[in-house]
Amino acid sequence: MSSPGSAAATAILKEEVDIVIPTIRNLDFLDMWRPFFEGYHLIIVQDGDPSKVIKVPEGFDYELYNRNDINRVLGPKAHCISFKDSACRCFGFLLSKKKYIFTIDDDCFVAKDPSGKEINALEQHLKNLLSPSTPFFFNTLYDPYREGVDFVRGYPFSLREGVPTAASHGLWLNIPDYDAPTQLVKPLERNNRYVDAVMTIPKGTLFPMCGMNLAFNRELIGPAMYFGLMGDGQPIGRYDDMWAGWCVKVISDHLGLGVKTGLPYIWHSKASNPFVNLKKEYKGIYWQEELIPFFQSVSLPKECTTAQKCYIELSKQVKAKLGKVDEYFNKLADAMVTWIEAWDELNPSGPKSEALPNGSAK
């Protein structure tokens, strides 16, 4: 399958894409993205004080929601949406009715490739999502569906059709996506290395997903793209995208879907405070030594045929196996169920989860 041309991808999919942006500040950064975002619909989720006025440059088609809107729309289920953390972006995933979501942080600017050409990150994500993935056998020339590339000798012909791509994970130039300890020992390090490659993450392999430059097929994997309980009132932060990535990957593996990483790059403009980050991350750094083996051992029954059913089953396993690590994971498991209940309520035409562990039925 060949990748769509840039003009075709941009024109055809304008009605099938929402761009979700979490923010606490004026969105002046959109001016730089204007050539690439104009014509697309933006869902802006304002974090923090809902009385603060967020200014959006003129000319964009957007909806802006704050905490008051989250409470109004979700009512008693609003607690599943994190406060004072970029995980609030999940509210935009719930509200969207589009097939594809591109989510980007407000400190991410347009990057340039080695030739000096500005990178249309959204277009590249769509190319990734529209071409198959190859999670069952690694192609040493990376993505075999790119122009000028094919499957190498020895690649099984029975696997060359590939599988649908659920998520496209983009990268960043300039400020690396490091944890606080690495930030502290490498304060001046910058990522200047542009690698012109896209690859499918193999089945059974987890990865650290970064939410600042991410796209996904909402119809295939949207219910699993929950960034958890983070931020205000929670014992952990900055693991929201990591949690979503681990859940998405094990569910994609189970459902026979693919996850790609590599292109496109964005320009990450500023480093967050490593001391603030350490306070948010320190329990996660400790807990991840339990979390990774847990996700590596997750097994989902064949009856789990939708992302919703997979996510409900995963919530049960989180409670059973991680609840003993810390009470927080019992709370998180309950929030995972609430998230799916909210998803089913706001997306009534999609496939439903069946019996929910709290006794309610959909």
Short mmCIF file of all heavy atoms in Angstrom, two decimals, residues 74-125:
data_model
loop_
_atom_site.label_atom_id
_atom_site.label_comp_id
_atom_site.label_asym_id
_atom_site.label_seq_id
_atom_site.Cartn_x
_atom_site.Cartn_y
_atom_site.Cartn_z
N LEU A 74 -19.83 15.47 32.34
CA LEU A 74 -19.64 14.14 32.92
C LEU A 74 -20.31 13.96 34.27
O LEU A 74 -20.47 12.82 34.73
CB LEU A 74 -18.13 13.84 33.05
CG LEU A 74 -17.35 13.75 31.74
CD1 LEU A 74 -15.91 13.39 32.01
CD2 LEU A 74 -17.99 12.74 30.80
N GLY A 75 -20.68 15.07 34.93
CA GLY A 75 -21.35 14.95 36.22
C GLY A 75 -20.52 14.16 37.22
O GLY A 75 -19.33 14.44 37.41
N PRO A 76 -21.10 13.13 37.85
CA PRO A 76 -20.36 12.36 38.87
C PRO A 76 -19.18 11.58 38.31
O PRO A 76 -18.34 11.11 39.08
CB PRO A 76 -21.43 11.41 39.43
CG PRO A 76 -22.49 11.34 38.38
CD PRO A 76 -22.49 12.68 37.71
N LYS A 77 -19.10 11.44 37.00
CA LYS A 77 -17.96 10.73 36.39
C LYS A 77 -16.78 11.66 36.11
O LYS A 77 -15.73 11.21 35.64
CB LYS A 77 -18.40 10.04 35.10
CG LYS A 77 -19.44 8.93 35.29
CD LYS A 77 -19.77 8.28 33.96
CE LYS A 77 -20.73 7.11 34.15
NZ LYS A 77 -22.05 7.54 34.64
N ALA A 78 -16.94 12.96 36.38
CA ALA A 78 -15.90 13.93 36.04
C ALA A 78 -14.59 13.66 36.77
O ALA A 78 -13.52 14.09 36.32
CB ALA A 78 -16.38 15.35 36.35
N HIS A 79 -14.65 12.93 37.87
CA HIS A 79 -13.43 12.68 38.65
C HIS A 79 -12.42 11.83 37.89
O HIS A 79 -11.24 11.77 38.27
CB HIS A 79 -13.78 11.99 39.97
CG HIS A 79 -14.31 10.60 39.80
ND1 HIS A 79 -13.49 9.49 39.73
CD2 HIS A 79 -15.58 10.13 39.66
CE1 HIS A 79 -14.22 8.40 39.57
NE2 HIS A 79 -15.49 8.76 39.52
N CYS A 80 -12.84 11.16 36.81
CA CYS A 80 -11.90 10.33 36.06
C CYS A 80 -10.98 11.17 35.16
O CYS A 80 -10.01 10.65 34.62
CB CYS A 80 -12.62 9.26 35.25
SG CYS A 80 -13.46 9.86 33.76
N ILE A 81 -11.29 12.46 35.00
CA ILE A 81 -10.45 13.35 34.19
C ILE A 81 -9.50 14.10 35.12
O ILE A 81 -9.93 14.82 36.02
CB ILE A 81 -11.30 14.36 33.39
CG1 ILE A 81 -12.31 13.62 32.51
CG2 ILE A 81 -10.40 15.25 32.55
CD1 ILE A 81 -11.71 12.72 31.46
N SER A 82 -8.21 13.94 34.90
CA SER A 82 -7.20 14.53 35.77
C SER A 82 -7.26 16.05 35.77
O SER A 82 -7.67 16.67 34.78
CB SER A 82 -5.80 14.06 35.34
OG SER A 82 -5.69 12.66 35.44
N PHE A 83 -6.83 16.62 36.88
CA PHE A 83 -6.82 18.08 37.07
C PHE A 83 -5.39 18.53 37.32
O PHE A 83 -4.65 17.90 38.08
CB PHE A 83 -7.72 18.44 38.26
CG PHE A 83 -7.88 19.92 38.49
CD1 PHE A 83 -8.37 20.75 37.50
CD2 PHE A 83 -7.55 20.48 39.71
CE1 PHE A 83 -8.52 22.12 37.71
CE2 PHE A 83 -7.69 21.83 39.94
CZ PHE A 83 -8.18 22.66 38.94
N LYS A 84 -4.99 19.60 36.67
CA LYS A 84 -3.62 20.12 36.76
C LYS A 84 -2.61 19.08 36.28
O LYS A 84 -1.60 18.81 36.92
CB LYS A 84 -3.31 20.62 38.18
CG LYS A 84 -4.12 21.84 38.56
CD LYS A 84 -3.67 22.44 39.88
CE LYS A 84 -4.48 23.71 40.19
NZ LYS A 84 -4.10 24.31 41.48
N ASP A 85 -2.91 18.51 35.14
CA ASP A 85 -2.01 17.56 34.48
C ASP A 85 -2.45 17.48 33.02
O ASP A 85 -3.64 17.60 32.71
CB ASP A 85 -2.10 16.18 35.14
CG ASP A 85 -1.01 15.23 34.65
OD1 ASP A 85 -1.17 14.63 33.57
OD2 ASP A 85 0.00 15.10 35.35
N SER A 86 -1.50 17.25 32.13
CA SER A 86 -1.85 17.21 30.70
C SER A 86 -2.78 16.05 30.37
O SER A 86 -3.30 15.97 29.26
CB SER A 86 -0.58 17.13 29.85
OG SER A 86 0.09 15.90 30.03
N ALA A 87 -3.01 15.14 31.33
CA ALA A 87 -3.96 14.05 31.12
C ALA A 87 -5.38 14.57 30.92
O ALA A 87 -6.25 13.81 30.46
CB ALA A 87 -3.94 13.09 32.31
N CYS A 88 -5.62 15.85 31.21
CA CYS A 88 -6.95 16.42 30.97
C CYS A 88 -7.32 16.35 29.50
O CYS A 88 -8.50 16.46 29.15
CB CYS A 88 -7.01 17.86 31.47
SG CYS A 88 -6.00 19.02 30.51
N ARG A 89 -6.34 16.14 28.62
CA ARG A 89 -6.60 16.06 27.18
C ARG A 89 -7.60 14.94 26.86
O ARG A 89 -8.26 14.96 25.82
CB ARG A 89 -5.30 15.86 26.41
CG ARG A 89 -4.73 14.47 26.46
CD ARG A 89 -3.41 14.36 25.70
NE ARG A 89 -2.29 14.90 26.46
CZ ARG A 89 -1.30 15.61 25.92
NH1 ARG A 89 -1.29 15.87 24.62
NH2 ARG A 89 -0.32 16.06 26.67
N CYS A 90 -7.70 13.94 27.75
CA CYS A 90 -8.60 12.82 27.51
C CYS A 90 -10.05 13.26 27.33
O CYS A 90 -10.83 12.60 26.64
CB CYS A 90 -8.53 11.83 28.67
SG CYS A 90 -6.99 10.95 28.77
N PHE A 91 -10.40 14.38 27.95
CA PHE A 91 -11.76 14.88 27.79
C PHE A 91 -12.04 15.18 26.31
O PHE A 91 -13.14 14.94 25.82
CB PHE A 91 -11.97 16.14 28.63
CG PHE A 91 -13.38 16.66 28.61
CD1 PHE A 91 -14.42 15.93 29.14
CD2 PHE A 91 -13.65 17.90 28.05
CE1 PHE A 91 -15.73 16.42 29.12
CE2 PHE A 91 -14.94 18.40 28.03
CZ PHE A 91 -15.98 17.66 28.56
N GLY A 92 -11.04 15.68 25.61
CA GLY A 92 -11.18 15.92 24.18
C GLY A 92 -11.36 14.64 23.40
O GLY A 92 -12.11 14.59 22.41
N PHE A 93 -10.69 13.56 23.84
CA PHE A 93 -10.85 12.27 23.17
C PHE A 93 -12.28 11.76 23.33
O PHE A 93 -12.85 11.16 22.42
CB PHE A 93 -9.89 11.23 23.75
CG PHE A 93 -8.43 11.61 23.73
CD1 PHE A 93 -7.52 10.91 24.51
CD2 PHE A 93 -7.96 12.65 22.95
CE1 PHE A 93 -6.17 11.23 24.50
CE2 PHE A 93 -6.61 12.99 22.94
CZ PHE A 93 -5.72 12.28 23.72
N LEU A 94 -12.86 12.00 24.52
CA LEU A 94 -14.23 11.58 24.79
C LEU A 94 -15.23 12.32 23.90
O LEU A 94 -16.16 11.72 23.36
CB LEU A 94 -14.60 11.87 26.25
CG LEU A 94 -14.27 10.84 27.33
CD1 LEU A 94 -14.72 11.37 28.69
CD2 LEU A 94 -14.93 9.50 27.05
N LEU A 95 -15.02 13.63 23.75
CA LEU A 95 -15.99 14.45 23.03
C LEU A 95 -15.90 14.30 21.52
O LEU A 95 -16.89 14.47 20.81
CB LEU A 95 -15.80 15.93 23.40
CG LEU A 95 -16.17 16.36 24.80
CD1 LEU A 95 -16.05 17.86 24.92
CD2 LEU A 95 -17.57 15.91 25.19
N SER A 96 -14.72 14.01 21.02
CA SER A 96 -14.54 13.92 19.57
C SER A 96 -15.44 12.85 18.96
O SER A 96 -15.72 11.82 19.59
CB SER A 96 -13.08 13.60 19.25
OG SER A 96 -12.91 13.39 17.86
N LYS A 97 -15.86 13.09 17.75
CA LYS A 97 -16.60 12.08 17.00
C LYS A 97 -15.87 11.76 15.69
O LYS A 97 -16.44 11.16 14.79
CB LYS A 97 -18.03 12.58 16.70
CG LYS A 97 -18.85 12.81 17.96
CD LYS A 97 -19.07 11.52 18.74
CE LYS A 97 -19.87 11.75 20.03
NZ LYS A 97 -19.06 12.33 21.10
N LYS A 98 -14.61 12.17 15.61
CA LYS A 98 -13.82 11.95 14.40
C LYS A 98 -13.09 10.60 14.45
O LYS A 98 -12.88 10.03 15.52
CB LYS A 98 -12.81 13.08 14.22
CG LYS A 98 -13.43 14.49 14.19
CD LYS A 98 -14.25 14.72 12.95
CE LYS A 98 -14.86 16.12 12.94
NZ LYS A 98 -13.84 17.18 12.90
N LYS A 99 -12.66 10.15 13.30
CA LYS A 99 -11.97 8.86 13.23
C LYS A 99 -10.55 8.95 13.76
O LYS A 99 -10.04 8.01 14.38
CB LYS A 99 -11.95 8.37 11.78
CG LYS A 99 -11.33 6.99 11.61
CD LYS A 99 -11.48 6.48 10.18
CE LYS A 99 -10.92 5.07 10.05
NZ LYS A 99 -11.09 4.53 8.67
N TYR A 100 -9.90 10.11 13.52
CA TYR A 100 -8.50 10.26 13.90
C TYR A 100 -8.32 11.42 14.87
O TYR A 100 -8.97 12.46 14.74
CB TYR A 100 -7.62 10.50 12.67
CG TYR A 100 -7.71 9.40 11.64
CD1 TYR A 100 -8.41 9.60 10.45
CD2 TYR A 100 -7.09 8.18 11.84
CE1 TYR A 100 -8.50 8.60 9.50
CE2 TYR A 100 -7.18 7.17 10.88
CZ TYR A 100 -7.89 7.38 9.72
OH TYR A 100 -7.98 6.39 8.79
N ILE A 101 -7.43 11.23 15.83
CA ILE A 101 -7.07 12.28 16.79
C ILE A 101 -5.57 12.56 16.66
O ILE A 101 -4.77 11.62 16.61
CB ILE A 101 -7.36 11.84 18.24
CG1 ILE A 101 -8.84 11.61 18.46
CG2 ILE A 101 -6.81 12.87 19.23
CD1 ILE A 101 -9.68 12.85 18.60
N PHE A 102 -5.21 13.84 16.60
CA PHE A 102 -3.82 14.26 16.73
C PHE A 102 -3.76 15.14 17.97
O PHE A 102 -4.50 16.12 18.07
CB PHE A 102 -3.37 15.04 15.49
CG PHE A 102 -2.01 15.68 15.61
CD1 PHE A 102 -0.93 15.00 16.17
CD2 PHE A 102 -1.79 16.98 15.15
CE1 PHE A 102 0.32 15.60 16.26
CE2 PHE A 102 -0.54 17.58 15.23
CZ PHE A 102 0.52 16.89 15.80
N THR A 103 -2.93 14.78 18.93
CA THR A 103 -2.80 15.59 20.14
C THR A 103 -1.38 16.11 20.25
O THR A 103 -0.41 15.39 20.00
CB THR A 103 -3.23 14.80 21.39
OG1 THR A 103 -3.19 15.67 22.53
CG2 THR A 103 -2.36 13.58 21.64
N ILE A 104 -1.28 17.38 20.59
CA ILE A 104 0.01 18.07 20.62
C ILE A 104 0.02 19.04 21.80
O ILE A 104 -1.01 19.61 22.16
CB ILE A 104 0.27 18.81 19.29
CG1 ILE A 104 1.67 19.44 19.25
CG2 ILE A 104 -0.82 19.84 19.01
CD1 ILE A 104 2.05 19.98 17.88
N ASP A 105 1.19 19.21 22.42
CA ASP A 105 1.32 20.14 23.54
C ASP A 105 1.58 21.55 23.04
O ASP A 105 2.08 21.75 21.93
CB ASP A 105 2.45 19.69 24.47
CG ASP A 105 2.07 18.47 25.31
OD1 ASP A 105 0.92 17.99 25.17
OD2 ASP A 105 2.91 18.00 26.09
N ASP A 106 1.28 22.52 23.91
CA ASP A 106 1.37 23.92 23.48
C ASP A 106 2.78 24.49 23.53
O ASP A 106 2.98 25.68 23.25
CB ASP A 106 0.41 24.80 24.30
CG ASP A 106 0.72 24.79 25.79
OD1 ASP A 106 1.80 24.29 26.18
OD2 ASP A 106 -0.11 25.28 26.58
N ASP A 107 3.78 23.65 23.86
CA ASP A 107 5.17 24.11 23.78
C ASP A 107 5.91 23.40 22.65
O ASP A 107 7.13 23.31 22.64
CB ASP A 107 5.89 23.89 25.12
CG ASP A 107 5.95 22.42 25.53
OD1 ASP A 107 5.26 21.58 24.90
OD2 ASP A 107 6.68 22.11 26.50
N CYS A 108 5.12 22.89 21.70
CA CYS A 108 5.70 22.17 20.56
C CYS A 108 5.51 22.99 19.29
O CYS A 108 4.39 23.34 18.92
CB CYS A 108 5.03 20.81 20.41
SG CYS A 108 5.35 19.70 21.80
N PHE A 109 6.61 23.28 18.62
CA PHE A 109 6.60 24.11 17.44
C PHE A 109 6.91 23.27 16.20
O PHE A 109 7.25 22.09 16.29
CB PHE A 109 7.60 25.26 17.57
CG PHE A 109 7.28 26.20 18.71
CD1 PHE A 109 8.29 26.96 19.29
CD2 PHE A 109 6.00 26.32 19.20
CE1 PHE A 109 8.01 27.83 20.33
CE2 PHE A 109 5.70 27.19 20.25
CZ PHE A 109 6.72 27.95 20.82
N VAL A 110 6.83 23.90 15.04
CA VAL A 110 7.12 23.22 13.78
C VAL A 110 8.62 22.98 13.67
O VAL A 110 9.42 23.91 13.81
CB VAL A 110 6.62 24.06 12.59
CG1 VAL A 110 6.97 23.37 11.28
CG2 VAL A 110 5.12 24.30 12.69
N ALA A 111 8.99 21.74 13.43
CA ALA A 111 10.40 21.39 13.24
C ALA A 111 10.75 21.45 11.76
O ALA A 111 9.87 21.51 10.89
CB ALA A 111 10.68 20.01 13.80
N LYS A 112 12.05 21.42 11.48
CA LYS A 112 12.53 21.38 10.10
C LYS A 112 13.34 20.12 9.87
O LYS A 112 14.08 19.67 10.76
CB LYS A 112 13.38 22.62 9.80
CG LYS A 112 12.60 23.92 9.83
CD LYS A 112 13.47 25.12 9.48
CE LYS A 112 12.66 26.41 9.50
NZ LYS A 112 13.49 27.59 9.15
N ASP A 113 13.20 19.56 8.67
CA ASP A 113 14.01 18.39 8.34
C ASP A 113 15.42 18.85 7.96
O ASP A 113 15.69 20.06 7.89
CB ASP A 113 13.34 17.56 7.24
CG ASP A 113 13.28 18.27 5.89
OD1 ASP A 113 14.03 19.23 5.67
OD2 ASP A 113 12.47 17.84 5.05
N PRO A 114 16.35 17.93 7.74
CA PRO A 114 17.73 18.33 7.45
C PRO A 114 17.89 19.24 6.23
O PRO A 114 18.88 19.97 6.12
CB PRO A 114 18.44 16.98 7.23
CG PRO A 114 17.66 16.02 8.07
CD PRO A 114 16.23 16.47 7.94
N SER A 115 16.91 19.22 5.32
CA SER A 115 17.00 20.10 4.15
C SER A 115 16.50 21.51 4.45
O SER A 115 16.59 22.40 3.60
CB SER A 115 16.18 19.51 2.99
OG SER A 115 14.78 19.65 3.24
N GLY A 116 15.95 21.72 5.66
CA GLY A 116 15.42 23.02 6.02
C GLY A 116 13.93 23.17 5.77
O GLY A 116 13.35 24.22 6.04
N LYS A 117 13.28 22.13 5.27
CA LYS A 117 11.85 22.18 5.00
C LYS A 117 11.05 21.98 6.28
O LYS A 117 11.37 21.11 7.08
CB LYS A 117 11.48 21.11 3.97
CG LYS A 117 10.00 21.09 3.61
CD LYS A 117 9.70 19.95 2.63
CE LYS A 117 8.21 19.90 2.31
NZ LYS A 117 7.89 18.77 1.39
N GLU A 118 10.01 22.80 6.46
CA GLU A 118 9.16 22.64 7.63
C GLU A 118 8.38 21.33 7.55
O GLU A 118 7.89 20.95 6.48
CB GLU A 118 8.19 23.83 7.76
CG GLU A 118 8.89 25.13 8.13
CD GLU A 118 7.90 26.23 8.50
OE1 GLU A 118 6.76 26.20 7.99
OE2 GLU A 118 8.27 27.09 9.31
N ILE A 119 8.27 20.66 8.68
CA ILE A 119 7.65 19.34 8.73
C ILE A 119 6.16 19.47 9.05
O ILE A 119 5.78 20.06 10.07
CB ILE A 119 8.34 18.46 9.80
CG1 ILE A 119 9.81 18.25 9.44
CG2 ILE A 119 7.62 17.13 9.96
CD1 ILE A 119 10.63 17.67 10.59
N ASN A 120 5.35 18.92 8.20
CA ASN A 120 3.91 18.85 8.44
C ASN A 120 3.64 17.60 9.27
O ASN A 120 3.41 16.51 8.74
CB ASN A 120 3.15 18.80 7.11
CG ASN A 120 1.64 18.87 7.30
OD1 ASN A 120 1.12 18.65 8.40
ND2 ASN A 120 0.93 19.18 6.23
N ALA A 121 3.68 17.77 10.60
CA ALA A 121 3.58 16.62 11.49
C ALA A 121 2.25 15.90 11.34
O ALA A 121 2.19 14.66 11.34
CB ALA A 121 3.79 17.06 12.94
N LEU A 122 1.18 16.65 11.21
CA LEU A 122 -0.14 16.03 11.09
C LEU A 122 -0.22 15.16 9.85
O LEU A 122 -0.73 14.03 9.89
CB LEU A 122 -1.22 17.11 11.08
CG LEU A 122 -2.66 16.64 10.84
CD1 LEU A 122 -3.07 15.56 11.84
CD2 LEU A 122 -3.62 17.83 10.91
N GLU A 123 0.26 15.67 8.75
CA GLU A 123 0.23 14.90 7.50
C GLU A 123 1.00 13.59 7.64
O GLU A 123 0.54 12.53 7.19
CB GLU A 123 0.81 15.73 6.37
CG GLU A 123 0.86 15.00 5.03
CD GLU A 123 1.55 15.84 3.97
OE1 GLU A 123 0.92 16.80 3.50
OE2 GLU A 123 2.70 15.55 3.64
N GLN A 124 2.17 13.65 8.27
CA GLN A 124 2.97 12.43 8.43
C GLN A 124 2.27 11.43 9.34
O GLN A 124 2.28 10.22 9.08
CB GLN A 124 4.36 12.76 8.98
CG GLN A 124 5.25 11.54 9.19
CD GLN A 124 5.56 10.80 7.90
OE1 GLN A 124 6.02 11.39 6.93
NE2 GLN A 124 5.32 9.49 7.89
N HIS A 125 1.64 11.93 10.41
CA HIS A 125 0.89 11.02 11.28
C HIS A 125 -0.22 10.32 10.50
O HIS A 125 -0.45 9.12 10.68
CB HIS A 125 0.27 11.80 12.44
CG HIS A 125 1.18 12.00 13.61
ND1 HIS A 125 1.77 10.96 14.29
CD2 HIS A 125 1.59 13.14 14.24
CE1 HIS A 125 2.50 11.43 15.29
NE2 HIS A 125 2.41 12.74 15.28
#
